[in-house]
């Protein structure tokens, strides 16, 4: 299934994509897509619905984040060897885990708001994991059975805030609009191997990131299993799994977002995003 949400801020509705690519309104037929609403049990109930019986959305307007809210917005850092190299870091021996503020959650086509005092706002196309079942101390063999689905994520980052201002990475990752998620939450039955997905990002029409999830240092199963040793993962948690090379901080000279820049990005089979950068007011 491909699940998504649409509508203006504060009035979003859940929907399902039918076999012809049409959008079918799920309002009143299920909980919104967040927390228990994306548990494996909730998704199983959705599979019993016939999309043809649901109202067809003629004009969805704004495409909202595919998740209404997230209990936790986890991220994995330096998870592609070429990206680690372009930042001057050694490939990690274990997954680097950090968080974004959940208030960073944003729609796939909403503007990226460059924060006040920002000089190094950057882009990062990533495969996102959505957890569908409580996970604690699970093996790699069990890990994928705890996943609800996958999505496209842009892990927008302010590099000065992240790297040069002390403390944790979180403050460079968490500004409003820094977590575009969607357009779709694609259930695992449509993604037979999450380690065989192309992903790319373009800036003003120039492709600057192009890779495949086969190049991840730590794959999806290893990430989920590893994280479950240190915390309980819960339905609706999202995990951004790291970005390939081609980010602005790795360019020579470095290149960062300015108002008017347009970013487009996609993870194979999970849908495309398009964002325009604007200045914070």
């Amino acid at each position: 299934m491909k699940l998504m949400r649409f509508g203006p801020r504060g009035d979003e509705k859940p929907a399902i994509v039918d076999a012809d690519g049409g959008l079918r309104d799920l309002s009143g037929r299920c909980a919104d897509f967040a927390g228990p609403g994306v548990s494996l049990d909730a998704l199983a109930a959705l599979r019993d619905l016939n999309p043809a019986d649901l109202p067809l959305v003629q004009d969805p307007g704004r495409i909202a984040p595919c998740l209404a809210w997230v209990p936790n917005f986890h991220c994995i850092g330096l998870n592609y060897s070429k990206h680690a190299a372009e930042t001057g870091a050694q490939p990690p021996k274990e997954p680097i885990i950090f968080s974004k503020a959940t208030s960073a959650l944003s729609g796939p086509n909403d503007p990226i708001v460059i924060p006040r005092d920002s000089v190094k706002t950057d882009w990062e196309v990533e495969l996102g994991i959505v957890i569908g079942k409580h996970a604690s101390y699970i093996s790699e063999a069990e890990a994928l059975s705890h996943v609800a689905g996958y999505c496209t994520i842009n892990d927008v980052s302010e590099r000065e805030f992240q790297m040069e201002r002390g403390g944790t990475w979180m403050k460079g990752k968490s500004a409003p609009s820094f977590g575009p998620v969607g357009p779709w939450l694609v259930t695992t039955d449509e993604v037979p191997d999450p380690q065989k997905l192309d992903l790319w990002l373009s800036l003003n029409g120039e492709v600057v990131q192009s890779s495949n999830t086969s190049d991840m240092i730590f794959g999806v199963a290893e990430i989920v299993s590893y994280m479950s040793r240190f915390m309980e993962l819960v339905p609706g948690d999202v995990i951004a799994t790291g970005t390939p090379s081609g980010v602005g901080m790795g360019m020579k000279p470095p290149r960062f977002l300015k108002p008017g820049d347009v970013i487009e990005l996609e993870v194979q089979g999970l849908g495309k995003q398009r964002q325009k950068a604007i200045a914070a007011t």
Side-chain angles (χ1 to χ4, degrees), residues 168-183:
T168 70
W169 288 3
M170 187 175 185
K171 66 186 179 187
K173 297 283 188 170
S174 296
S177 79
F178 272 28
V181 173

Side-chain angles (χ1 to χ4, degrees), residues 39-123:
S39 69
L40 297 183
D41 288 343
L43 296 181
L46 286 179
R47 289 189 177 90
D48 292 334
L49 298 176
N50 181 2
D53 295 335
L54 302 169
L56 181 65
V57 180
Q58 298 292 346
D59 181 8
R62 170 179 174 262
I63 303 303
C66 60
L67 298 167
W69 53 270
V70 291
N72 297 286
F73 203 141
H74 299 296
C75 304
I76 306 298
L78 302 176
N79 198 26
Y80 289 72
S81 57
K82 289 182 180 178
H83 173 56
E86 73 178 347
T87 67
Q90 292 294 320
K93 293 181 171 58
E94 297 186 31
I96 296 172
I97 303 170
F98 63 94
S99 295
K100 295 176 87 82
T102 58
S103 56
L105 193 70
S106 185
N109 302 325
D110 291 343
I112 292 173
V113 182
I114 300 173
R116 297 178 187 177
D117 303 319
S118 167
V119 292
K120 296 182 179 180
T121 296
D122 206 346
W123 54 84

Side-chain angles (χ1 to χ4, degrees), residues 11 26 50 56 60 82 90 108 134-135 149 173-174 177 190 192 211 222 224 236 238 248 253-254:
D11 193 28
L26 282 168
N50 181 2
L56 181 65
K82 289 182 180 178
Q90 292 294 320
H134 288 263
K173 297 283 188 170
S174 296
S177 79
E190 295 200 20
S211 189
E222 186 172 3
V224 173
V238 65

Side-chain angles (χ1 to χ4, degrees), residues 127-128 150-152 182-184 186 191 197 266-272:
L127 168 67
Y150 302 96
C151 59
T152 301
W184 305 321
V186 181
V191 187
L197 303 176
E266 184 175 16
V267 179
Q268 182 181 353
L270 306 183
K272 186 176 180 180

Side-chain angles (χ1 to χ4, degrees), residues 231-254:
M231 65 200 76
E232 183 178 25
L233 300 173
V234 301
D237 279 355
V238 65
I239 306 169
T241 58
T243 196
S245 60
V247 299
M249 71 178 294
M251 294 182 173
K252 296 184 178 10

